[in-house]
């Protein structure tokens, strides 16, 4: 269960079927979708699994924040961290990240890592405020179907 007190006035729960269109619309509005990641397929793969889920934060009846959270048995990861642009700077980003951290803690995961595109400088300030620290690492990636690397 997610600690409701830690998420302030944002009611956080696992994504439900009826939430999917609004969640995809929010991700598109936040420019988090990429042509090579079909959001509905990403949701279907991650939701409701023992090691991953998509959490949605509601303000009233409106979905105001999302996070895809998961772990690989060693480290936790988040993707699709998004807040409705009309609701920035109300603490919802912090609240949905707290919910993701608690989700991982409940599963015994001790460290959360996340990737930020180098050109997304404003979000780096957000994570620094939440006590995340930049780590000196180089990321290697490969598409397993053999397609050329995407940006
Ligand atoms: C990044 C994002 C999730 C922040 O959401 P938010 O609800 O506005 O953040 P909060 O109100 O919870 O802010 C938490 C803290 O971060 C700080 N912060 C938030 N956005 C910031 C910014 N752009 N620059 C500097 N600090 C910022 C706030 O001032 C606040 O600090 P405080 O608690 O000391 O007052 C939101 O801007 C967003 O959805 N951006 C687009 C999607 C995106 O880039 N996602 C990340 C992909 S890696």
């Amino acid at each position: 269960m997610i600690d409701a007190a830690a998420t302030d006035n944002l009611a956080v729960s696992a994504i439900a079927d009826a939430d999917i269109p609004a969640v995809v619309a929010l991700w598109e509005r936040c420019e988090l979708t990429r042509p090579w990641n079909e959001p509905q397929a990403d949701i279907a793969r991650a939701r409701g699994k023992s090691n991953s889920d998509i959490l949605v934060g509601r303000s009233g009846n409106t979905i105001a924040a999302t996070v895809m959270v998961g772990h690989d048995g060693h480290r936790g990861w988040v993707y699709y961290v998004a807040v409705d642009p009309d609701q920035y700077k109300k603490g919802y980003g912090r609240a949905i990240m707290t919910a993701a951290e608690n989700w991982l803690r409940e599963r015994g995961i001790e460290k959360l890592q996340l990737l930020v595109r180098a050109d997304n400088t404003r979000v780096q300030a957000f994570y620094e405020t939440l006590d995340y620290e930049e780590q000196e690492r180089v990321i290697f990636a490969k598409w397993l179907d053999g397609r050329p690397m995407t940006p």
Side-chain angles (χ1 to χ4, degrees):
M1 281 299 284
I2 290 152
D3 180 4
T7 54
D8 300 315
N9 54 345
L10 199 69
V12 180
S13 59
I15 191 171
D17 285 342
D19 297 331
I20 294 173
V23 166
V24 172
L26 174 58
W27 292 354
E28 286 171 349
R29 224 170 142 212
C30 289
E31 300 179 349
L32 291 177
T33 55
R34 296 287 178 273
W36 52 87
N37 285 343
E38 212 265 307
Q40 286 86 354
D42 285 355
I43 291 169
R45 261 195 309 272
R47 68 179 289 201
K49 303 293 194 299
S50 63
N51 67 327
S52 64
D53 214 339
I54 292 147
L55 307 181
V56 298
R58 284 184 177 75
S59 166
N61 291 326
T62 309
I63 292 177
T66 66
V67 62
M68 178 186 284
V69 60
H71 70 82
D72 50 27
H74 183 51
R75 300 300 187 210
W77 292 90
V78 290
Y79 301 90
Y80 291 114
V81 175
V83 170
D84 179 342
D86 292 336
Q87 312 231 44
Y88 282 178
K89 301 289 177 81
K90 289 181 167 184
Y92 293 164
R94 181 188 287 276
I96 202 75
M97 283 298 296
T98 298
E101 291 171 6
N102 288 340
W103 190 99
L104 291 165
R105 280 191 193 98
E106 287 164 11
R107 287 157 181 81
I109 300 297
E110 296 180 319
K111 190 178 185 189
L112 171 48
Q113 305 187 152
L114 54 91
L115 303 174
V116 178
R117 288 179 175 273
D119 59 1
N120 197 349
T121 48
R122 64 190 183 89
V123 83
Q124 293 175 31
F126 163 73
Y127 287 122
E128 280 167 10
T129 305
L130 269 53
D131 295 330
Y132 287 80
E133 293 185 26
E134 188 177 335
Q135 301 260 276
E136 297 279 328
R137 301 288 186 275
V138 178
I139 299 168
F140 286 87
K142 172 179 165 180
W143 286 107
L144 299 181
D145 60 6
R147 79 184 94 160
M149 187 42 65
T150 42

